[in-house]
Amino acid sequence: QVQLVESGGGLVQAGGSLTLSCAASGSIDRINTMGWYRQAPGKERELVATKTSLDRTNYADSVKGRFTISRDNAKNTVYLQMNSLKSEDTAVYYCNLRTWSRRVWEYWGQGTQVTVSS
């Protein structure tokens, strides 16, 4: 059983910064990717940033240059450093984990609210 625990969300003014954390626990055989998605009210969930097992990163165009994803493999934790926040970044941010054990398994956190005031 794998669980994801997110933290770090909150309220911040435009131009400010927040750091999100997501810690994975349980039986994890092999991590394919860890990353972050977000969903704003009335919109579909979208990719924010991911990091693969080969340490390759992928960012949404809307956050490039402002957000940084990183991993601590020893802690099975992924972080999202968010700088220069905009009102458009307001959303529920979800941690995502994909693992390999005979097939790809996908897990989601419960989400953490990020609200950027303008």
Side-chain angles (χ1 to χ4, degrees), residues 61-110:
D61 289 340
S62 60
V63 307
K64 287 181 179 178
R66 300 188 298 119
F67 291 10
T68 302
I69 187 170
S70 61
R71 288 175 59 180
D72 186 334
N73 292 333
K75 298 180 179 180
N76 285 331
T77 300
V78 63
Y79 305 90
L80 185 68
Q81 176 66 50
M82 304 184 293
N83 299 321
S84 302
L85 283 162
K86 307 174 181 179
S87 60
E88 296 91 333
D89 298 317
T90 295
V92 177
Y93 285 70
Y94 296 91
C95 181
N96 174 263
L97 169 68
R98 296 185 179 93
T99 67
W100 173 258
S101 182
R102 293 186 287 183
R103 69 172 179 87
V104 175
W105 302 80
E106 187 170 48
Y107 306 91
W108 292 93
Q110 293 185 0

Side-chain angles (χ1 to χ4, degrees), residues 3-117:
Q3 296 183 3
L4 303 177
V5 179
E6 301 148 328
S7 62
L11 175 65
V12 65
Q13 291 184 335
S17 299
L18 283 174
T19 299
L20 306 182
S21 300
C22 175
S25 63
S27 299
I28 303 174
D29 294 328
R30 182 190 299 174
I31 295 176
N32 286 353
T33 64
M34 294 191 75
W36 295 92
Y37 293 71
R38 68 185 182 186
Q39 186 169 20
K43 296 186 177 181
E44 296 183 4
R45 187 173 299 185
E46 64 176 353
L47 180 146
V48 178
T50 60
K51 184 173 283 289
T52 72
S53 60
L54 298 178
D55 209 33
R56 184 174 298 172
T57 57
N58 183 36
Y59 294 96
D61 289 340
S62 60
V63 307
K64 287 181 179 178
R66 300 188 298 119
F67 291 10
T68 302
I69 187 170
S70 61
R71 288 175 59 180
D72 186 334
N73 292 333
K75 298 180 179 180
N76 285 331
T77 300
V78 63
Y79 305 90
L80 185 68
Q81 176 66 50
M82 304 184 293
N83 299 321
S84 302
L85 283 162
K86 307 174 181 179
S87 60
E88 296 91 333
D89 298 317
T90 295
V92 177
Y93 285 70
Y94 296 91
C95 181
N96 174 263
L97 169 68
R98 296 185 179 93
T99 67
W100 173 258
S101 182
R102 293 186 287 183
R103 69 172 179 87
V104 175
W105 302 80
E106 187 170 48
Y107 306 91
W108 292 93
Q110 293 185 0
T112 184
Q113 177 71 47
V114 173
T115 302
V116 183
S117 62

